[in-house]
Amino acid sequence: MLLVYSAVADHGVPEQLLDDTMAAQRAFFSLPLEQKMRIAVNKYYRGYTPMAEETLDPSRSRRGDTHEGIYYGRHVEEGSEEAKLPLHGPNQWPDEALVPGYRAATEAYWEATAAVGFRLLRLLGLSLGLGAGALFSALLYAAHDCTATAALQICTDGATWRGVDPLPGCFIVNIGDMLCRWTNGRYKSTLHRVVNTTGRERYSLPLFFEPNFDALVVALDSCVEEGQAPLFPPITAGEHLLERYHATHAGYGKAAAEQAAAAAGVDKQDGQ
């Protein structure tokens, strides 16, 4: 088993772009709640989420987490075939007059960090003996506000939490749950949390680098010992994501379920 939680430098994302994107987030989240709620998450789960909307660990907390966020991803045209899939649709952006340059900085950051993700996945493929062209997904990596003290914590032994200091210009990279399943637990997702006791606001720019929605996540033959069964049953990436969204997001409800049923060709009728 390999626990992977790393800091990556020399990633090729310009420092100015990191600074511009972080400044854009500060400007947006400084707006009054009423203005932020104008782009509250849509049925594709793109847009703003207020405090306590998300509960990342429902087994330990029922009050919701003390953070707010804005969700965006690769743009998908509304009304297209791809938009019939859950979590696929158009992004929502703040009014340019309220936060000048927000969309330009954020889209440039997304494109630059996605390119880093593909490079990291090629390296992971090589580490598994699969060749440079073998791409796997389900990485999480983030740039953090380096003016804040260590609020990110990791647990590698099931009991002890230790802080991860923010490093200027570096991305913090974690293996995601789906890559853990693909490698049959050889690469393990590291348990982590954020505990901010500074009394100051903290910002981070996480990128969830995920597989195609219909990708089958099943243990690689090279990661399963002869005569042993895989540790995890097969699942599609979409099924896994929807399980997590339903478990952790209070706002991900009826509209998303109806969209998923439509994508699967299910016509739900009254009384059924």
Side-chain angles (χ1 to χ4, degrees):
M1 179 180 69
L2 178 65
L3 294 169
V4 180
Y5 214 98
S6 310
V8 176
D10 299 325
H11 41 66
V13 179
E15 183 177 352
Q16 187 62 55
L17 178 56
L18 287 169
D19 291 343
D20 290 347
T21 309
M22 195 67 76
Q25 308 314 312
R26 291 194 187 96
F28 171 75
F29 286 106
S30 296
L31 294 174
L33 178 61
E34 177 184 353
Q35 292 179 338
K36 289 182 285 191
M37 288 299 292
R38 292 176 184 174
I39 57 167
V41 285
N42 54 24
K43 65 180 181 180
Y44 310 107
Y45 228 79
R46 307 292 179 93
Y48 171 72
T49 57
M51 286 280 187
E53 190 278 337
E54 183 177 15
T55 308
L56 284 176
D57 190 354
S59 66
R60 295 177 179 269
S61 175
R62 296 182 180 180
R63 295 185 301 172
D65 298 339
T66 53
H67 72 82
E68 53 187 330
I70 182 169
Y71 286 74
Y72 59 89
R74 182 175 57 83
H75 176 77
V76 176
E77 288 291 339
E78 192 162 21
S80 66
E81 282 299 309
E82 191 176 7
K84 294 179 181 179
L85 293 172
L87 307 176
H88 289 65
N91 293 313
Q92 297 192 92
W93 302 103
D95 189 329
E96 181 71 14
L98 293 175
V99 192
Y102 182 95
R103 178 173 181 173
T106 303
E107 287 186 324
Y109 174 82
W110 188 92
E111 292 177 2
T113 51
V116 175
F118 281 112
R119 289 162 57 197
L120 290 173
L121 292 177
R122 291 187 181 96
L123 294 175
L124 283 170
L126 288 171
S127 75
L128 293 166
L130 298 173
L135 299 182
F136 296 90
S137 198
L139 288 168
L140 162 63
Y141 54 103
H144 297 281
D145 180 2
C146 290
T147 63
T149 56
L152 176 64
Q153 299 179 352
I154 62 173
C155 178
T156 58
D157 61 3
T160 306
W161 291 94
R162 54 193 177 92
V164 177
D165 292 326
L167 299 173
C170 292
F171 290 121
I172 301 297
V173 180
N174 187 25
I175 294 295
D177 290 341
M178 282 187 276
L179 190 52
C180 178
R181 297 174 75 117
W182 251 317
T183 61
N184 203 38
R186 181 177 297 182
Y187 286 175
K188 185 174 178 58
S189 176
T190 304
L191 186 63
H192 58 282
R193 68 183 184 183
V194 172
V195 180
N196 186 1
T197 60
T198 66
R200 301 194 304 271
E201 293 179 337
R202 175 185 180 273
Y203 295 86
S204 65
L205 301 170
L207 176 70
F208 295 83
F209 199 72
E210 296 160 347
N212 290 340
F213 196 80
D214 59 356
L216 182 63
V217 183
V218 60
L220 297 164
D221 291 341
S222 60
C223 294
V224 180
E225 298 293 334
E226 186 175 353
Q228 294 185 349
L231 297 176
F232 310 98
I235 192 172
T236 66
E239 289 170 336
H240 176 78
L241 286 173
L242 291 177
E243 284 180 3
R244 298 307 304 147
Y245 269 78
H246 281 294
T248 60
H249 288 277
Y252 195 75
K254 182 178 179 181
E258 290 176 349
Q259 188 186 18
V266 177
D267 183 12
K268 186 178 184 301
Q269 299 178 357
D270 291 341
Q272 296 184 348

mmCIF file of all heavy atoms in Angstrom, residues 3 5-6 15 73 78 83 85 104 106 164 174 225 230 246 256:
data_model
loop_
_atom_site.group_PDB
_atom_site.id
_atom_site.type_symbol
_atom_site.label_atom_id
_atom_site.label_comp_id
_atom_site.label_asym_id
_atom_site.label_seq_id
_atom_site.Cartn_x
_atom_site.Cartn_y
_atom_site.Cartn_z
ATOM 1 N N LEU A 3 0.694 5.363 0.457
ATOM 2 C CA LEU A 3 -0.061 6.568 0.781
ATOM 3 C C LEU A 3 0.549 7.727 0.012
ATOM 4 O O LEU A 3 1.757 7.960 0.093
ATOM 5 C CB LEU A 3 0.001 6.849 2.282
ATOM 6 C CG LEU A 3 -0.691 5.824 3.183
ATOM 7 C CD1 LEU A 3 -0.313 6.069 4.634
ATOM 8 C CD2 LEU A 3 -2.194 5.907 3.019
ATOM 9 N N TYR A 5 0.384 11.709 -0.652
ATOM 10 C CA TYR A 5 -0.039 13.091 -0.404
ATOM 11 C C TYR A 5 1.209 13.921 -0.597
ATOM 12 O O TYR A 5 2.136 13.858 0.213
ATOM 13 C CB TYR A 5 -0.591 13.248 1.017
ATOM 14 C CG TYR A 5 -1.714 14.250 1.106
ATOM 15 C CD1 TYR A 5 -3.039 13.833 1.099
ATOM 16 C CD2 TYR A 5 -1.457 15.608 1.168
ATOM 17 C CE1 TYR A 5 -4.080 14.738 1.170
ATOM 18 C CE2 TYR A 5 -2.488 16.521 1.235
ATOM 19 C CZ TYR A 5 -3.802 16.081 1.238
ATOM 20 O OH TYR A 5 -4.832 16.990 1.293
ATOM 21 N N SER A 6 1.280 14.662 -1.684
ATOM 22 C CA SER A 6 2.542 15.244 -2.115
ATOM 23 C C SER A 6 2.403 16.723 -2.411
ATOM 24 O O SER A 6 1.310 17.226 -2.671
ATOM 25 C CB SER A 6 3.045 14.536 -3.386
ATOM 26 O OG SER A 6 3.028 13.146 -3.243
ATOM 27 N N GLU A 15 2.956 31.853 -11.738
ATOM 28 C CA GLU A 15 2.641 32.396 -10.418
ATOM 29 C C GLU A 15 1.629 33.531 -10.513
ATOM 30 O O GLU A 15 0.753 33.673 -9.653
ATOM 31 C CB GLU A 15 3.923 32.883 -9.741
ATOM 32 C CG GLU A 15 3.710 33.401 -8.325
ATOM 33 C CD GLU A 15 5.004 33.803 -7.651
ATOM 34 O OE1 GLU A 15 6.082 33.546 -8.227
ATOM 35 O OE2 GLU A 15 4.943 34.378 -6.548
ATOM 36 N N GLY A 73 -16.656 23.591 -13.980
ATOM 37 C CA GLY A 73 -15.890 22.543 -14.643
ATOM 38 C C GLY A 73 -15.873 22.783 -16.137
ATOM 39 O O GLY A 73 -16.137 23.895 -16.607
ATOM 40 N N GLU A 78 -25.992 23.638 -22.623
ATOM 41 C CA GLU A 78 -27.312 23.216 -22.183
ATOM 42 C C GLU A 78 -28.122 22.754 -23.392
ATOM 43 O O GLU A 78 -28.092 23.368 -24.451
ATOM 44 C CB GLU A 78 -28.033 24.360 -21.476
ATOM 45 C CG GLU A 78 -29.282 23.925 -20.752
ATOM 46 C CD GLU A 78 -29.737 24.938 -19.720
ATOM 47 O OE1 GLU A 78 -29.337 26.112 -19.835
ATOM 48 O OE2 GLU A 78 -30.479 24.555 -18.809
ATOM 49 N N ALA A 83 -25.274 17.070 -21.900
ATOM 50 C CA ALA A 83 -25.911 17.737 -20.762
ATOM 51 C C ALA A 83 -27.020 16.898 -20.141
ATOM 52 O O ALA A 83 -27.538 17.250 -19.079
ATOM 53 C CB ALA A 83 -26.459 19.096 -21.184
ATOM 54 N N LEU A 85 -26.417 14.039 -18.976
ATOM 55 C CA LEU A 85 -25.745 13.342 -17.886
ATOM 56 C C LEU A 85 -25.767 14.198 -16.626
ATOM 57 O O LEU A 85 -25.638 15.423 -16.700
ATOM 58 C CB LEU A 85 -24.289 13.051 -18.257
ATOM 59 C CG LEU A 85 -24.037 12.053 -19.377
ATOM 60 C CD1 LEU A 85 -22.556 12.054 -19.739
ATOM 61 C CD2 LEU A 85 -24.484 10.658 -18.959
ATOM 62 N N ALA A 104 -12.350 35.152 -16.698
ATOM 63 C CA ALA A 104 -11.126 34.976 -17.481
ATOM 64 C C ALA A 104 -10.036 34.309 -16.644
ATOM 65 O O ALA A 104 -9.367 33.366 -17.099
ATOM 66 C CB ALA A 104 -10.645 36.324 -18.011
ATOM 67 N N THR A 106 -10.394 32.502 -13.855
ATOM 68 C CA THR A 106 -10.778 31.173 -13.392
ATOM 69 C C THR A 106 -10.702 30.147 -14.519
ATOM 70 O O THR A 106 -10.228 29.019 -14.320
ATOM 71 C CB THR A 106 -12.193 31.214 -12.790
ATOM 72 O OG1 THR A 106 -12.228 32.170 -11.724
ATOM 73 C CG2 THR A 106 -12.589 29.858 -12.237
ATOM 74 N N VAL A 164 -0.364 20.152 7.429
ATOM 75 C CA VAL A 164 0.384 20.267 6.179
ATOM 76 C C VAL A 164 0.563 21.753 5.901
ATOM 77 O O VAL A 164 -0.401 22.461 5.613
ATOM 78 C CB VAL A 164 -0.363 19.591 5.010
ATOM 79 C CG1 VAL A 164 0.409 19.782 3.710
ATOM 80 C CG2 VAL A 164 -0.585 18.114 5.297
ATOM 81 N N ASN A 174 -3.409 14.791 -3.805
ATOM 82 C CA ASN A 174 -3.889 13.609 -3.097
ATOM 83 C C ASN A 174 -4.468 12.619 -4.099
ATOM 84 O O ASN A 174 -5.129 13.012 -5.058
ATOM 85 C CB ASN A 174 -4.975 13.992 -2.083
ATOM 86 C CG ASN A 174 -5.385 12.817 -1.202
ATOM 87 O OD1 ASN A 174 -4.620 11.886 -0.998
ATOM 88 N ND2 ASN A 174 -6.599 12.867 -0.681
ATOM 89 N N GLU A 225 -3.262 -9.705 -6.882
ATOM 90 C CA GLU A 225 -2.412 -10.886 -6.755
ATOM 91 C C GLU A 225 -3.135 -12.128 -7.280
ATOM 92 O O GLU A 225 -4.357 -12.259 -7.156
ATOM 93 C CB GLU A 225 -2.021 -11.104 -5.293
ATOM 94 C CG GLU A 225 -1.200 -9.981 -4.681
ATOM 95 C CD GLU A 225 0.184 -9.875 -5.296
ATOM 96 O OE1 GLU A 225 0.679 -10.907 -5.806
ATOM 97 O OE2 GLU A 225 0.767 -8.771 -5.278
ATOM 98 N N PRO A 230 -10.451 -8.907 -6.156
ATOM 99 C CA PRO A 230 -10.288 -7.460 -5.962
ATOM 100 C C PRO A 230 -10.933 -7.004 -4.660
ATOM 101 O O PRO A 230 -11.910 -7.588 -4.187
ATOM 102 C CB PRO A 230 -11.004 -6.863 -7.178
ATOM 103 C CG PRO A 230 -11.007 -7.949 -8.201
ATOM 104 C CD PRO A 230 -11.117 -9.224 -7.429
ATOM 105 N N HIS A 246 -24.849 12.846 -3.267
ATOM 106 C CA HIS A 246 -26.071 12.652 -2.489
ATOM 107 C C HIS A 246 -25.765 12.576 -0.994
ATOM 108 O O HIS A 246 -26.564 13.010 -0.162
ATOM 109 C CB HIS A 246 -26.794 11.385 -2.947
ATOM 110 C CG HIS A 246 -27.578 11.563 -4.208
ATOM 111 N ND1 HIS A 246 -28.687 12.373 -4.295
ATOM 112 C CD2 HIS A 246 -27.397 11.041 -5.452
ATOM 113 C CE1 HIS A 246 -29.170 12.343 -5.528
ATOM 114 N NE2 HIS A 246 -28.405 11.552 -6.253
ATOM 115 N N ALA A 256 -31.502 16.595 -9.522
ATOM 116 C CA ALA A 256 -30.413 15.740 -9.974
ATOM 117 C C ALA A 256 -30.892 14.309 -10.188
ATOM 118 O O ALA A 256 -30.484 13.638 -11.139
ATOM 119 C CB ALA A 256 -29.281 15.765 -8.958
#
